[in-house]
């Protein structure tokens, strides 16, 4: 009995340390830089900051620490990968809109949808016109909303945002219909370096087959808990040790994907060995 009691006490102590560490990590920020080269780039280097999965998180008053980290990167544009709010309850927009307003006052901002934005758009019986409110507010700030839409950036880059349908997010049985990216975005321009923001990294092969030179994704929160060698433990779709939880990936044909670990959490409010991340991408010839 004493032995069992000792084990229980040790387990409780370890659990307490784990939660304290997680609480600490959730309020930290790290910046990770990636370099991508392509012969399609003709007119010098471009720097992009990629933010994803904020989920109403604030780093300092009015997200000032996050804003300062973006400023330090001196980006040509800020790319937003979606899930900036938590689509639960009434879907509060205050934190995400305040951040978008601050960013758009200093940089060009291009915003794609995650599953939480898409949920607000679909479930009007729950969220009413919150999605339209969000889009209208962004438009008023000068933010370019990329909902199944592509826009040129300079002479040699195309920025694209792909909205993923509900079946792409189903736990355990997610799928994408054949040819879906081309169905909604049209054919990819082979002359321009194409950056595709698609929230889930699960369909990297489909994005690459469409012609995305670089895919920027998030959604998996880095796997919640990250372990050496094994990587992320669990995704929001309940996949365990999924290989594309975070980091840089490349196909044989040269197509590449960067999966951001995200900034916030929701539902499972845990981060361990998995600090919130700002992604900086330098695109060069």
């Amino acid at each position: 009995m004493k032995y069992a009691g000792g084990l229980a006490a040790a387990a409780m102590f370890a659990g307490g340390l784990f939660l304290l560490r997680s609480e600490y990590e959730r309020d930290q920020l790290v910046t990770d830089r990636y370099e991508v080269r392509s012969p399609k780039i003709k007119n010098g280097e471009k720097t992009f900051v990629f933010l994803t999965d904020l989920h109403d998180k604030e780093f300092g008053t009015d997200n000032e620490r996050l804003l300062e980290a973006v400023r330090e990167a001196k980006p040509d544009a800020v790319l937003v990968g979606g899930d900036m709010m938590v689509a639960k309850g009434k879907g509060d927009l205050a934190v995400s809109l305040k951040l978008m307003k601050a960013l758009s006052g200093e940089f060009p901002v291009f915003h794609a949808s995650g599953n939480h934005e898409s949920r607000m758009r679909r479930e009007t019986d729950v969220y009413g016109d919150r999605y339209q409110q969000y889009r209208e507010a962004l438009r008023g700030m000068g933010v370019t909303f990329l909902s199944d839409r592509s826009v040129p950036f300079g002479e040699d880059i195309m920025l694209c945002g792909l909205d993923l349908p509900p079946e792409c997010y189903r736990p355990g049985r997610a799928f994408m219909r054949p040819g879906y990216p081309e169905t909604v975005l049209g054919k990819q321009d082979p002359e321009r370096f194409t950056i595709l923001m698609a929230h889930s990294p699960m369909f990297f092969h489909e994005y690459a087959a469409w012609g995305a030179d670089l895919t920027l994704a998030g959604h998996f929160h880095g796997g919640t808990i990250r372990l050496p060698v094994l990587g992320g433990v669990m995704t929001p779709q309940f996949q365990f040790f999924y290989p594309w939880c975070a980091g840089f990936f490349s196909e044989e044909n040269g197509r590449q994907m960067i999966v951001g670990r995200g900034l916030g959490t929701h539902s499972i409010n845990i981060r361990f060995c998995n600090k919130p991340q700002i992604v900086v991408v330098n695109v060069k010839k």
Side-chain angles (χ1 to χ4, degrees):
M1 292 294 290
K2 289 182 179 180
Y3 180 73
L7 285 178
M12 291 178 63
F13 180 73
L17 290 178
F18 172 86
L19 292 175
L20 286 172
R21 176 66 189 185
S22 175
E23 187 70 19
Y24 165 78
E25 284 198 23
R26 286 168 55 200
D27 202 43
Q28 305 306 303
L29 268 176
V30 298
T31 299
D32 290 326
R33 295 179 177 270
Y34 299 89
E35 184 178 287
V36 176
R37 292 183 178 269
S38 171
K40 295 181 181 180
I41 302 299
K42 310 295 184 185
N43 297 309
E45 178 180 344
K46 295 290 189 298
T47 299
F48 298 98
V49 163
F50 177 57
L51 306 176
T52 188
D53 298 281
L54 180 71
H55 291 303
D56 294 330
K57 172 66 178 173
E58 291 188 275
F59 296 91
T61 303
D62 295 335
N63 260 314
E64 184 56 36
R65 286 197 289 125
L66 175 57
L67 289 166
E68 187 56 36
V70 174
R71 293 182 189 116
E72 287 178 5
K74 297 181 173 60
D76 295 289
V78 176
L79 309 182
V80 177
D83 278 13
M84 302 310 281
M85 73 292 292
V86 178
K88 286 186 175 182
K90 295 182 179 180
D92 187 18
L93 305 178
V95 172
S96 50
L97 286 178
K98 188 175 291 186
L99 177 62
M100 291 301 105
K101 184 176 182 179
L103 288 170
S104 61
E106 300 183 42
F107 311 100
V109 178
F110 299 84
H111 192 317
S113 289
N115 54 301
H116 284 248
E117 286 91 352
S118 296
R119 186 183 303 162
M120 288 199 304
R121 182 189 62 198
R122 292 193 314 270
E123 299 178 11
T124 54
D125 57 326
V126 177
Y127 301 106
D129 65 348
R130 300 292 276 171
Y131 176 76
Q132 291 303 323
Q133 288 180 31
Y134 190 67
R135 289 200 58 169
E136 288 299 320
L138 293 179
R139 185 177 293 112
M141 298 171 190
V143 174
T144 302
F145 200 86
L146 296 178
S147 176
D148 291 337
R149 181 183 172 205
S150 302
V151 296
F153 187 82
E155 297 180 4
D156 46 18
I157 294 176
M158 187 71 74
L159 300 177
C160 310
L162 178 66
D163 286 9
L164 299 178
E167 58 265 24
C168 291
Y169 295 113
R170 289 176 181 169
R173 52 192 180 92
F175 70 94
M176 176 177 282
R177 297 190 297 274
Y180 182 75
E182 185 172 331
T183 300
V184 294
L185 290 172
K187 290 187 178 295
Q188 180 259 3
D189 183 350
E191 300 301 317
R192 289 179 179 266
F193 183 82
T194 299
I195 300 176
L196 174 67
M197 286 186 283
H199 193 61
S200 173
M202 281 189 66
F203 306 100
F204 177 32
H205 297 312
E206 287 82 351
Y207 308 146
W210 170 70
D213 295 293
L214 174 65
T215 296
L216 298 176
H219 185 48
F220 286 163
H221 299 185
T224 307
I225 297 168
R226 295 190 64 78
L227 301 177
V229 182
L230 297 175
V233 173
M234 185 183 74
T235 76
Q237 292 174 237
F238 303 107
Q239 299 141 307
F240 294 90
F241 301 105
Y242 192 76
W244 292 342
C245 280
F248 179 86
F249 307 93
S250 181
E251 286 200 329
E252 291 181 0
N253 60 10
R255 311 293 188 188
Q256 299 170 325
M257 178 172 70
I258 297 171
V259 183
R261 299 197 302 272
L263 294 160
T265 59
H266 72 95
S267 302
I268 301 174
N269 293 311
I270 292 173
R271 281 185 177 271
F272 190 76
C273 298
N274 182 27
K275 292 178 181 178
Q277 179 194 43
I278 297 167
V279 173
V280 179
V281 185
N282 297 112
V283 181
K284 301 181 179 181
K285 182 176 179 179

